[in-house]
Amino acid sequence: MVQPEQHVFGLWEETRAPGRNPHRHGENRMSRHQVLTLISMASVNFCSMICYSILGPFFPNEAEKKGVSQTVIGLIFGCYALCNLVASLILGKYIVQIGPKFMLTSGLFVSSVCTILFGLLDRCHRTTPFIIMCFLIRSIDAIGFSAAMTSSFAVIAKVFPSNIATVMGSLEVFTGLGLIMGPPMGGLLYQSFGYEVPFMALGCFVLLMVPFNMCILPHLEATPANDSFVRLFIHPKVLLLCFVIFTLSSGLGFIDATLAIFAVAKFNLSAGYVGLLLLGVSLPYCLSSPLLGVVSDKFPSVRKWLVVLGGLGTAVGFCLLGPTPILHIPRQLWLFVFMLTIIGFSLGLTGIPIFPEIINCAYENGFEEGLSTLGLVSGLFGAVWSTGCVSLYPSPACCGFVWLKALFRFLFSAGPLSFLLGAYFFFEGTRKKR
């Protein structure tokens, strides 16, 4: 691994003399380039997620008014994840040739333009052209989102080689803010000014972030490598970690698709309270991510066990979220909210350490240390996450069917998969000691 004081871009401006305390003399502080990169990544995470989440509160109703069926609406949402999947693999492979800075800023530009164009779809009164334009704009928007997030992960790992989890955990606060603020802001603007204004306002805001990031994001030089996704993916450890990412993404997609239906049907809650229930997942994740990132970087040997613990917590959370009928536990609102909190915290336990763990595994197995490998890992992470999202769309209308499907998935994948991953880590540690 590249040590901080040997970083090729000089981003850790550390000239430590023997016997001196770097913290005492302020020599181990972040450089100007690192601070600017951190600000840039925070703006990217916030803007990308706020554009991603704005459609939820009011677009389905508007689409229904134009004669679009629920199945087609689900496909419109699902095509986003599918295009994100394909784009993540391609962009992760060619991030060095394209350039991380150009990929990030162009991704933001595409997302902002697509958000503005989505606001103009209200003027399309015929059903078929409306559906075609929705699929087209949503697909292009997914490519822009993929470009921004793939380059963001790779840049973070390159500029902060020794503090990847800490930085990612801190930036996930802005990701959560984007997801939390997007729906209420979009809903409020929609109620006050109509369909076009939410997309126009947020699209223009993201558009302003393009020159901002062009000015402050440092330029990173790198050379292409000959490594491939296949060689990375077929490693047993990476394969198991990818399955963990898949189960987490599927679980969150399941919550997005069915929580509102289930909460209204079983607890007779209003739409406002359903929106508050979603905070039960996002808030624990946002609040715990910075701390989990610090723990992951300070204690690398604990990082893999955090992933295992997070997977087990997710499985338990979903089993009791209903709760599943085989447990014969009465359905109560407080238990439902508590399990959402457990799932949100477990997501942080698993999601924060898993990215640096895959990077370390790649380096241990002969991948070159550099932006090319980081792009592969970032693209693979985004593609697997999107695969889990695709598996839930379009969501069936029957909540009970979705519930049984998700129950099966988490009883027979997340739980056993975590035990399998733990066994692999145990035997891996035993083999290294020998």
Side-chain angles (χ1 to χ4, degrees):
M1 293 287 292
V2 180
Q3 298 300 319
E5 59 269 23
Q6 297 170 337
H7 196 262
V8 292
F9 301 116
L11 297 179
W12 284 80
E13 298 171 343
E14 180 178 290
T15 54
R16 185 167 62 225
R20 295 177 66 187
N21 186 340
H23 297 285
R24 181 178 178 181
H25 294 275
E27 297 168 353
N28 202 30
R29 297 175 181 174
M30 288 194 298
S31 69
R32 178 176 175 272
H33 283 170
Q34 286 180 310
V35 173
L36 293 177
T37 301
L38 204 59
I39 296 172
S40 174
M41 296 303 104
S43 68
V44 170
N45 284 20
F46 179 77
C47 293
S48 298
M49 290 304 169
I50 206 170
C51 284
Y52 170 79
S53 61
I54 187 179
L55 269 69
F58 53 88
F59 175 75
N61 293 330
E62 289 292 327
E64 281 186 344
K65 293 178 183 178
K66 296 185 179 296
V68 184
S69 66
Q70 287 288 339
T71 301
V72 175
I73 293 174
L75 288 172
I76 291 173
F77 279 89
C79 77
Y80 190 94
L82 182 62
C83 293
N84 195 5
L85 187 163
V86 177
S88 295
L89 294 176
I90 297 175
L91 295 172
K93 174 66 176 177
Y94 296 103
I95 187 173
V96 174
Q97 290 84 347
I98 299 173
K101 182 174 182 177
F102 177 78
M103 183 184 292
L104 187 146
T105 53
S106 60
L108 279 180
F109 177 78
V110 170
S111 291
S112 63
V113 172
C114 287
T115 302
I116 294 173
L117 291 177
F118 226 95
L120 299 176
L121 289 180
D122 190 47
R123 303 183 183 185
C124 188
H125 300 291
R126 298 177 62 185
T127 303
T128 302
F130 176 81
I131 293 174
I132 294 174
M133 292 305 298
C134 282
F135 275 110
L136 182 61
I137 296 175
R138 189 71 170 160
S139 300
I140 297 175
D141 190 15
I143 297 174
F145 175 85
S146 175
M149 298 311 296
T150 300
S151 56
S152 173
F153 285 147
V155 168
I156 290 170
K158 185 66 177 177
V159 177
F160 301 91
S162 300
N163 301 276
I164 299 174
T166 301
V167 175
M168 287 187 63
S170 302
L171 292 177
E172 285 305 299
V173 174
F174 296 92
T175 301
L177 285 175
L179 290 173
I180 292 171
M181 294 178 63
M185 284 181 61
L188 180 62
L189 291 173
Y190 172 74
Q191 290 180 355
S192 303
F193 304 103
Y195 178 84
E196 294 183 3
V197 173
F199 294 102
M200 296 293 180
L202 293 180
C204 291
F205 172 73
V206 177
L207 191 60
L208 292 175
M209 293 296 104
V210 176
F212 173 75
N213 281 278
M214 291 177 65
C215 293
I216 71 170
L217 185 63
H219 180 71
L220 301 179
E221 295 288 348
T223 55
N226 296 322
D227 295 313
S228 66
F229 280 109
V230 175
R231 181 175 167 231
L232 177 65
F233 184 72
I234 62 175
H235 189 274
K237 182 177 179 180
V238 175
L239 186 62
L240 287 172
L241 292 173
C242 285
F243 274 116
V244 173
I245 297 171
F246 174 82
T247 57
L248 288 176
S249 177
S250 299
L252 289 180
F254 157 68
I255 290 177
D256 288 340
T258 62
L259 183 138
I261 301 173
F262 184 81
V264 171
K266 303 302 181 182
F267 300 114
N268 196 27
L269 297 178
S270 65
Y273 283 108
V274 172
L276 290 177
L277 284 180
L278 290 172
L279 296 179
V281 177
S282 55
L283 278 181
Y285 175 72
C286 292
L287 296 177
S288 62
S289 291
L291 177 61
L292 292 172
V294 173
V295 172
S296 180
D297 282 331
K298 293 292 184 182
F299 307 98
S301 60
V302 179
R303 183 163 53 207
K304 53 191 177 184
W305 299 110
L306 293 179
V307 177
V308 175
L309 184 60
L312 293 175
T314 303
V316 171
F318 272 90
C319 286
L320 296 177
L321 188 61
T324 175
I326 61 176
L327 298 178
H328 302 289
I329 298 176
R331 183 179 294 116
Q332 301 180 60
L333 182 58
W334 72 266
L335 180 63
F336 188 77
V337 175
F338 182 62
M339 287 303 108
L340 287 176
T341 304
I342 294 297
I343 292 171
F345 181 72
S346 299
L347 175 63
L349 278 173
T350 305
I352 299 301
I354 206 167
F355 187 75
E357 192 66 24
I358 295 177
I359 292 176
N360 284 341
C361 182
Y363 288 158
E364 289 173 357
N365 287 275
F367 281 73
E368 296 182 17
E369 297 188 18
L371 189 61
S372 182
T373 297
L374 298 176
L376 289 177
V377 175
S378 180
L380 181 64
F381 187 93
V384 174
W385 186 272
S386 298
T387 304
C389 294
V390 170
S391 68
L392 263 295
Y393 289 105
S395 59
C398 177
C399 182
F401 174 80
V402 181
W403 192 266
L404 290 175
K405 180 182 176 182
L407 173 63
F408 175 84
R409 173 175 293 161
F410 281 91
L411 280 177
F412 297 99
S413 62
L417 180 60
S418 297
F419 282 111
L420 182 62
L421 189 62
Y424 179 88
F425 287 149
F426 175 77
F427 286 111
E428 181 187 47
T430 303
R431 179 175 54 83
K432 287 183 177 180
K433 288 181 179 179
R434 290 177 180 175

